[in-house]
Amino acid sequence: MADVDGEALHNFVGKMLGDLGGAMSVPTAQIGFRLGLFTALHEGGPATSAELAERAGGLAERYVREWAMAQAANGYISFDPATGRFRLTPEQAMVFAIEDSPVYLAGAFDLAAAMVEGRPKVEAGFRTGNGVRWGDSGACLFCAVGAFFRPGYVNSVVQSWLPALDGAVAKLEAGIKVADIGCGIGFSTLLMARAYPNSQFVGFDFHAPSIIEANEHAAAHGLRDRVRFETIEAKAIEETGFGLVTMFDCLHDMGDPAGCAAHVATLLEPDASWMIVEPIAADRPEDNLGPISRLYYNASTMICVPTSLDQEVGLALGAQAGEARIKNLLAGAGFSRVRRATEGPFNMVLEARL
C-alpha cells in the first residue's frame, strides 16, 4: 500500500463531505420548492420558522424549523441568530425563488432526483450494454429536463442565440416556418413563437408524453393557431420548406445523429439555417474536467448515453462530445458552412448551412 499523504487525505475527505452534503440537500431543497417555502421567504421577507410555516400555507412548524436550519447549513438561505429569522439574500433568491432568473435551479434538483431514481435501469445497462428508453428511467425525467433547461432558454434564445444567426431574426420577423426538432415539452418552441408572431412553428419529438404536455402548453398560452406539436422520430419527418430548424440540447441524445443531420438537410429551404444548441465542451476529454463538465458527464452517464444506446445505431455521442466532433458529423451530412455563432456558460450554439 502506498504511503498516504495525511494533508491530501484530509482535503479529499473535506471535498467528499461537501459533495455528500450537496447530495443530501436534494430532497430537502425539492420540498422547499414544492411547498413554496423559498418563494414565501423571498416575497415576505425575513421570518422565523413559525412565521414561515404560517406564510407558506399553515405548514407544521417543527418540520419547517428543521428544514430551514438544513438550508442555512447548506448555505441556501441565511440565518440571523440574534433575531431567529431566516432570509434569502438577493443572490440566493436568483437561484431559489425567481423563476425567470437565468440561474433558477429548481429543475436541477428535480433532475438530480430523477437520475437517482433511474439508477437501477442504467446499472443494468452497464452489465448488458443495452440502452434505457427516454423517459423510462424516472417517473418524470422529461419534466425535470424541461424545467432544468427552461431558465437558460428564457434568458438566451430570443435575446442572444437567434440574433447570432446570419439573418435569422429578419426572416422570423417577416414570417417563416420553423421546425424545432427534439422539442420536448415545448419551452423552446413557445418562446420563439411568442417572440415572432408572423412565423409558424412545428415542434417534433419522438416522446409522446412530452408532445401531449407541449400541446397543453401551447393551448394555455393561446398559441395553437401558430404552433403545433407532433410525435415523430427526427428521421421520419416528411414536412419540408423550413426557413429555420432548431435543436436544443438533443442532437447528442439521438441514436443516429449523422443520419438525422442528413435528413435535416432535406427539410431546409435554400439559404436556411440549422441552429444546434449543445452542451459546451472542449474537444479533448482532459480539458473537460471542471465543474460544468462534471455536471454534464454525470448526466450523460445516467441519461444521454443510455438514451442514445436504446435507439437505432446508438452512436452515444454523450453530452461532452465537443465542437470538432459535431462539426465533422455535420460536414459529413453535407453542411459546408458550420460555425460557432455564440456561446454561454453552459452551451455552445452552432449555425449550419448547406
Side-chain angles (χ1 to χ4, degrees), residues 166-176 196 198-199 243 270-273 353:
D166 186 15
V169 169
K171 294 177 182 177
L172 286 162
E173 290 174 342
I176 56 174
Y196 302 106
N198 292 328
S199 291
D271 201 36
S273 294
R353 288 173 175 260

Side-chain angles (χ1 to χ4, degrees), residues 11 15 19 47 103-104 120 148 150 180 229 242 250-251 259 272 282 300 307 314 334 349:
N11 292 337
K15 167 187 160 48
D19 288 354
V103 290
Y104 181 67
F148 174 73
R150 181 187 177 277
D180 189 13
F229 294 98
F242 292 103
C250 64
L251 182 65
S300 191
T307 293
V349 180

Side-chain angles (χ1 to χ4, degrees), residues 94-180:
M94 290 281 284
V95 172
F96 290 100
I98 301 174
E99 293 188 9
D100 284 344
S101 158
V103 290
Y104 181 67
L105 292 180
F109 285 93
D110 287 342
L111 183 57
M115 287 165 58
V116 173
E117 184 182 352
R119 179 199 54 77
K121 292 182 179 180
V122 175
E123 182 179 329
F126 273 74
R127 303 179 187 279
T128 65
N130 296 332
V132 180
R133 188 171 301 277
W134 172 251
D136 281 2
S137 61
C140 198
L141 173 65
F142 67 96
C143 306
V145 169
F148 174 73
F149 283 123
R150 181 187 177 277
Y153 295 168
V154 165
N155 288 276
S156 300
V157 173
V158 173
Q159 297 89 333
S160 58
W161 293 353
L162 288 170
L165 305 182
D166 186 15
V169 169
K171 294 177 182 177
L172 286 162
E173 290 174 342
I176 56 174
K177 189 168 66 169
V178 180
D180 189 13

Side-chain angles (χ1 to χ4, degrees), residues 142-151 153-154 157 180 183-194 213-214 217 221 229 248:
F142 67 96
C143 306
V145 169
F148 174 73
F149 283 123
R150 181 187 177 277
Y153 295 168
V154 165
V157 173
D180 189 13
C183 64
I185 59 177
F187 285 144
S188 53
T189 321
L190 297 173
L191 283 169
M192 293 187 290
R194 290 178 64 181
E213 191 162 330
H217 286 311
H221 287 85
F229 294 98
F248 293 90

Side-chain angles (χ1 to χ4, degrees), residues 250-299:
C250 64
L251 182 65
H252 66 274
D253 292 319
M254 295 181 176
D256 183 15
C260 177
H263 189 66
V264 169
T266 71
L267 308 180
L268 293 167
E269 287 187 331
D271 201 36
S273 294
W274 177 17
M275 182 172 77
I276 305 114
V277 179
E278 279 288 296
I280 198 162
D283 292 323
R284 300 191 311 167
E286 59 266 35
D287 295 328
N288 289 326
L289 298 177
I292 294 174
S293 291
R294 179 188 184 188
L295 294 176
Y296 278 135
Y297 272 129
N298 280 287

